[in-house]
Amino acid sequence: MTKAEGSKPAQSELKPDTKVTTGGRNPHAHHGYVNTPVYHASTLLYRTAEDYLAHNSRYSYGRRGTPTSEALETAIQELEGPACAAVALLPSGLAAISTALLSVLQSGDHVLMSDSAYGPARTFCDSVLRRCGVSTTYYDPLIGAGIETLMQPNTRAVYTETPGSLTFEMQDIPAIAEVAHRHGALALMDNTWAGPLYFKALEKGVDLSIQSGTKYIGGHSDLMLGTVSASQGAAQRLKDTVYTMGLCVGADDMNLGLRGLRTLAVRLRQHQQSGLTVARWLAQRPEVLKVLHPALPGAPGHDIWKRDFTGACGLFAIVLKPVPEKAVLAFLNALSLFGMGASWGGFESLAIPVDVKDCRSVTVFEPGGPAIRFHIGLEDVGDLIADLERGFATLAAAK
Ligand SMILES: *Cc1c(COP(=O)(O)O)cnc(C)c1O
């Protein structure tokens, strides 16, 4: 018997922290090295002409998968749990969104998309899908089971994002998925905010759960990656679509994704803790009207978060009491530890003004003052709060 093999627990019995560190690894298939090698690969050689004609090989071509891609897919699948039948890797989060939609829709179909969805997801519906003869209706993210009234005979997909990554509306995913299934449609979700560590999308009824791996899986602002996790019913069409479209991820980015995944649980805990500390501090400030952080008691959507989620990441927003725009910009420009950038999930803190004027069509976001979105990184939380204090002093001077 080899070391501890006989008593090794099944993956499904392991806790999330253990899954992210062990998932997809098989050191003794690689001379004992802890990490799966990075296969830079296109052509695959067969031993004989007979093998070639019989496709007698575990792998067939770089685009169709390597030990590196398999390791990352397996690790994510184990994290999602037994409801996940397959994982597809895509070159970006947006590619994951567009591919997931294409895998379930065809000409003549109808899709329902949350009005709070990531802006470029809307653009994909309004351009490529429209040209393909697929129509889109946007709906109020807070609609819940009321989505029933919007289902059409040709509705094949209901697309959700929870919380909305700019405005933090919490959607009732189990209720929406139930209605979708009853009408013969699939439920899609952008689960980038919580990821499978904090929201088990597939167990809650989602058929295709999308993540921008660029965010927390990467975790260091140095790669582009997207993932789609599929239920049994959605897996084959997803895999076929990815293959037919010729989509694959570069070996080094997959390796960075694997490296990021190993520390995902510990990083997310810190993002969550520091995020809540800063959110609570902001909630006490006289300049702040409200805090849009689903994990904060009393915040919009907190009840749904508490019912369905097991954690929160470091992304949330605040609404300031009304001040002139120049004071908001002075506040943001005064911050030295918060970068001015949109793509979050790295180790660094960010703060940007929330601007949704180009990505809303059936609801209005009028929170009562200017909104600012924060990503709380891994810096010392006391340093971050001191930076925000300086920002508020500059805001007061600029009013
Ligand atoms: C960033 C982001 C995306 C897009 O991901 P990319 O990897 O940048 O293409 C999609 N959805 C959400 C919620 C995001 O934050």
Side-chain angles (χ1 to χ4, degrees), residues 79-96:
L79 209 53
E80 295 276 10
C84 180
V87 171
L89 304 177
L90 285 311
S92 70
L94 181 56

Side-chain angles (χ1 to χ4, degrees), residues 92-94 97 118 161 165 190 192 212 214-215 224-225 344:
S92 70
L94 181 56
I97 293 169
Y118 181 66
E161 176 180 322
S165 60
D190 184 333
T192 302
S212 167
T214 307
K215 306 291 162 57
M224 302 297 302
L225 180 71
W344 43 280

Side-chain angles (χ1 to χ4, degrees), residues 185-254:
L186 295 184
L188 280 68
M189 177 182 175
D190 184 333
N191 192 25
T192 302
W193 188 84
L197 275 177
Y198 293 159
F199 183 72
K200 291 270 182 275
L202 297 158
E203 287 173 17
K204 302 283 183 200
V206 171
D207 300 281
L208 290 167
S209 178
I210 296 150
Q211 282 189 86
S212 167
T214 307
K215 306 291 162 57
Y216 286 115
I217 293 177
H220 295 73
S221 303
D222 56 2
L223 78 149
M224 302 297 302
L225 180 71
T227 72
V228 185
S229 303
S231 66
Q232 190 64 47
Q236 195 55 50
R237 281 181 70 171
L238 173 70
K239 285 288 189 183
D240 289 348
T241 305
V242 171
Y243 180 61
T244 308
M245 304 265 296
L247 294 161
C248 56
V249 184
D252 287 326
D253 278 353
M254 290 190 286

